[in-house]
Amino acid sequence: MRLDPAPDARPAATVILLRDRNEGPPDLLLMERASSMVFAPGALVFPGGAVDPGDAVLAAHMAADLPPDEGAARVAAVRETLEESGLGIGFPDDFPAERLIAMRRAMAEGASFGTLLDAEGVALDLSVLLPFARWHPAAFERARRAYDTRFYLTRAPRAQEALADANETVHLFWSGAAAALARCDAGEGKVIFPTRRNLERLAQYRSFEEAASHAAAIPATKITPWFEDREGERHLCIPDDLGYPVTSELLARAVRH
């Protein structure tokens, strides 16, 4: 049963940071959300969060070549990643790590991202964020806090250390996608339905370049999961032409929030 997207889903953005290894598939950054969070408590997620009004203002200056909603989402992706992990995406390569730390601290104390960027005289390079996917929940999910979430790929910044904010996130770590799934299947973590599907897709890639190439070849079309009965059991399903190796899961097993 195909479902309509939630009409009032809040725009959000998430970043998949990839770090190539000498041997084996790339690592990616995952964070464990605090158990006190309303949405996906205790789940493993990628850095990200909701788009704020200030993100659109910044995007109008920094990303005039992008559609306004796309530009705002990319700014939100950078801002949320800095807040949650301390990593600066799209900053100049020579931007000092200690200034990123100071910006993160100031944001935690209430300073606006735009004001801090102005003070530093920094313009973000939002082209480093590559569209990977877009998940938009169905209308029936409204009671669960619906987010229209854009997922982006990017290389992990060099010479920067990721640290959990000890507020929304209590722990973070680098892991291959397949290893992260194995960790969850062993009961050492949980991932909601979209994150599981994205990890399965990412597990197909052997490098950042390979992941980026695949992402560029597949439009980041909105994905709205739907219910479907298969062999007498209800499944949660997604389209089969968007690069995902697994496109359905038993509803009884799917973690949805």
Side-chain angles (χ1 to χ4, degrees):
M1 178 178 67
R2 298 273 178 149
L3 301 170
D4 293 329
D8 54 356
R10 185 175 179 184
T14 290
V15 183
I16 302 166
L17 293 112
L18 292 175
R19 186 173 67 182
D20 283 332
R21 300 166 55 203
N22 292 330
E23 296 183 5
D27 281 335
L28 47 87
L29 183 65
L30 284 165
M31 308 188 306
E32 181 183 341
R33 286 174 63 81
S35 59
S36 59
M37 300 300 293
V38 175
F39 179 77
L44 300 181
V45 298
F46 306 112
V51 176
D52 289 342
D55 299 326
V57 175
L58 278 174
H61 296 287
M62 295 185 178
D65 57 327
L66 294 173
D69 57 344
E70 175 68 21
R74 294 195 190 197
V75 172
V78 174
R79 175 181 54 76
E80 288 282 347
T81 299
L82 180 57
E83 288 178 351
E84 294 182 345
S85 73
L87 297 179
I89 299 169
F91 284 79
D93 290 341
D94 59 353
F95 193 80
E98 61 269 18
R99 283 157 67 185
L100 282 172
I101 295 171
M103 288 181 69
R104 184 191 193 189
R105 185 182 304 115
M107 290 165 67
E109 294 171 353
S112 77
F113 190 37
T115 298
L116 294 170
L117 289 175
D118 285 344
E120 292 286 351
V122 172
L124 300 173
D125 179 7
L126 299 178
S127 68
V128 301
L129 292 164
L130 309 179
F132 181 70
R134 184 175 178 181
W135 285 68
H136 190 136
F140 76 91
E141 298 283 13
R142 269 181 277 183
R144 291 193 169 91
R145 286 203 175 187
Y147 292 97
D148 174 7
T149 306
R150 287 171 163 87
F151 289 78
Y152 298 99
L153 291 179
T154 194
R155 288 187 186 275
R158 297 179 180 178
Q160 293 183 26
E161 182 180 1
L163 295 170
D165 64 7
N167 181 21
E168 294 186 12
T169 59
V170 296
H171 174 60
L172 55 74
F173 60 95
W174 294 91
S175 170
L181 287 167
R183 177 177 183 152
C184 293
D185 291 342
E188 298 173 3
K190 76 170 184 177
V191 286
I192 61 175
F193 183 80
T195 307
R196 178 172 285 276
R197 302 287 83 85
N198 281 321
L199 284 171
E200 290 163 348
R201 183 178 171 190
L202 291 160
Q204 301 175 107
Y205 310 135
R206 295 168 294 179
S207 67
F208 172 82
E209 289 297 340
E210 187 174 313
S213 176
H214 281 262
I218 301 173
T221 305
K222 277 187 184 181
I223 298 172
T224 299
W226 70 88
F227 297 137
E228 189 172 308
D229 289 330
R230 299 181 178 181
E231 299 180 354
E233 295 186 284
R234 178 147 286 201
H235 287 68
L236 192 59
C237 308
I238 62 173
D240 59 6
D241 59 351
L242 297 178
Y244 290 87
V246 180
T247 58
S248 71
E249 185 175 355
L250 281 171
L251 183 60
R253 295 180 186 171
V255 180
R256 290 159 53 210
H257 60 92

